[in-house]
C-alpha cells in the first residue's frame, strides 16, 4: 500500500490536475497572440512531461519493468483523450 501512495498516487493526482485545468473555459493568458501560443505550448510540454516522468517512475521502480515505450504511449493516450 505504501508503494501505491508513493508511486501510483502522484500519477493519478497529476492526471486529475490536468483534467481540472483543461476543463476550465477560460484561463488567464497574455494578450499577444504569439506569447499566448508560446505559453500554451510550453504549459502542455511541461504538464505532459511531468506525467511521463511520473508514469515512467511508477513503471520502472514500482513495477520493475524497464523501457520508455509504455509510459510514452500512456502519456500520449491521455494527451489525446484530453483533446476530446
Amino acid at each position: 500500500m505504501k508503494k501505491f501512495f508513493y508511486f501510483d498516487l502522484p500519477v493519478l493526482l497529476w492526471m486529475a490536475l490536468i483534467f481540472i485545468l483543461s476543463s476550465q473555459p477560460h484561463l488567464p493568458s497574455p494578450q499577444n497572440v504569439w506569447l499566448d501560443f508560446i505559453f500554451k505550448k510550453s504549459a502542455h510540454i511541461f504538464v505532459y512531461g511531468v506525467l511521463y516522468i511520473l508514469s515512467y517512475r511508477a513503471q520502472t521502480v514500482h513495477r520493475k519493468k524497464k523501457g520508455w515505450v509504455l509510459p510514452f504511449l500512456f502519456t500520449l493516450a491521455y494527451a489525446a483523450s484530453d483533446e476530446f
Side-chain angles (χ1 to χ4, degrees), residues 9-33:
L9 188 60
V11 174
L12 296 174
L13 290 175
W14 195 256
M15 289 170 66
L17 178 68
I18 292 171
F19 178 78
I20 290 168
L21 289 176
S22 67
S23 65
Q24 299 297 313
H26 298 286
L27 291 173
S29 61
Q31 297 297 330
N32 186 316
V33 175

Side-chain angles (χ1 to χ4, degrees), residues 11-76:
V11 174
L12 296 174
L13 290 175
W14 195 256
M15 289 170 66
L17 178 68
I18 292 171
F19 178 78
I20 290 168
L21 289 176
S22 67
S23 65
Q24 299 297 313
H26 298 286
L27 291 173
S29 61
Q31 297 297 330
N32 186 316
V33 175
W34 285 107
L35 285 177
D36 184 49
F37 176 79
I38 291 170
F39 176 75
K40 286 181 180 177
K41 295 306 171 190
S42 299
H44 278 95
I45 291 169
F46 175 75
V47 296
Y48 290 114
V50 170
L51 180 62
Y52 171 76
I53 290 168
L54 290 173
S55 60
Y56 179 81
R57 188 187 107 190
Q59 176 185 324
T60 57
V61 178
H62 178 51
R63 292 181 185 82
K64 298 191 182 359
K65 295 180 182 177
K66 299 295 179 195
W68 60 271
V69 176
L70 286 177
F72 179 77
L73 292 175
F74 172 75
T75 303
L76 189 65

